Amino acid sequence: MVKLDLDHVYKMYDNADSYSVTDFNLHIKDREFIVFVGPSGCGKSTTLRMIAGLEDITKGTFKIDGRIVNDEAPKDRDIAMVFQNYALYPHMTVYDNMAFGLKLRKYDKADIDKRVHKAASILGLEEYLQRKPAALSGGQRQRVALGRAIVRDAPIFLMDEPLSNLDAKLRVSMRAQISKLHQDLKTTTIYVTHDQIEAMTMADRIVVMRDGKIQQVGTPQEVYDQP
Ligand code: ADP
Ligand code: ADP
């Protein structure tokens, strides 16, 4: 069971003189698939990065299962994250990219091997494990980024525009793959996009942001089929 509570969360960057996120309130249920949408600069990434612990929360509280985690380091939060630019290590093989976070956390070698092969099998990457990222297609690289995120079985899965660098056809199949990962791995997922179709097809609830604030929260039907 993983529920996330953001209560009156604000973010002001050190070098800024106004809030990038203002009074963000959201209560996310176990295994929900939440999608943040809204125009560029409205605060989607900032909010996601605060949840991941990559940015400090200026004001307000963020709780995982009722426990305030504002001051917990990213590696102590049970969170997997995938970025738009994949952030793969170019000098490492696919295997080592996927194993990296596990080694950092001192998983034993046999366990790492089992987890990497399992993730590779889920994502259809088994035959590419010894390649370097430069020798992969865009879709394969994105699957490696997903693989690296899922090897730990973290119950919270954050994705920041993971498909925006892929062509339209690949986006359709990756959308289905991500929805399936969310179901199969039973994660609580937050997904940032500016693509309305992604939001409509994947979300349990959509959070519409504007100017650092939540403008609307609802099911895809509630958000997009308004009279
Ligand atoms: P608090 O008690 O912390 O002030 P609430 O419990 O009243 O917050 O509201 C939080 C919940 O309300 C969130 O889970 C979210 O789904 C919903 N919510 C927050 N802001 C909005 C908004 N602008 N429009 C619609 N729903 C919102
Ligand atoms: P989105 O993800 O919706 O495009 P962001 O969260 O990236 O929006 O940005 C929200 C606001 O915060 C924007 O006004 C942006 O310029 C500002 N911002 C983002 N990152 C930083 C930073 N590191 N320092 C200062 N301001 C930032």
Side-chain angles (χ1 to χ4, degrees), residues 168-185:
K169 197 170 153 214
L170 208 48
R171 279 210 296 271
V172 175
S173 65
M174 289 300 296
R175 246 172 24 218
Q177 187 145 33
I178 288 171
S179 291
K180 188 169 183 318
L181 282 179
H182 166 80
Q183 290 293 337
D184 293 351
L185 306 177

Side-chain angles (χ1 to χ4, degrees), residues 13-16 19-21 38-47 49 55 160-161 192 209 212:
Y13 284 100
D14 290 341
N15 54 351
Y19 287 106
S20 289
V21 172
S40 179
C42 70
K44 304 181 298 294
S45 291
T46 300
T47 305
R49 291 170 60 81
E55 290 291 348
D160 195 351
E161 306 212 25
V192 169
M209 293 186 70

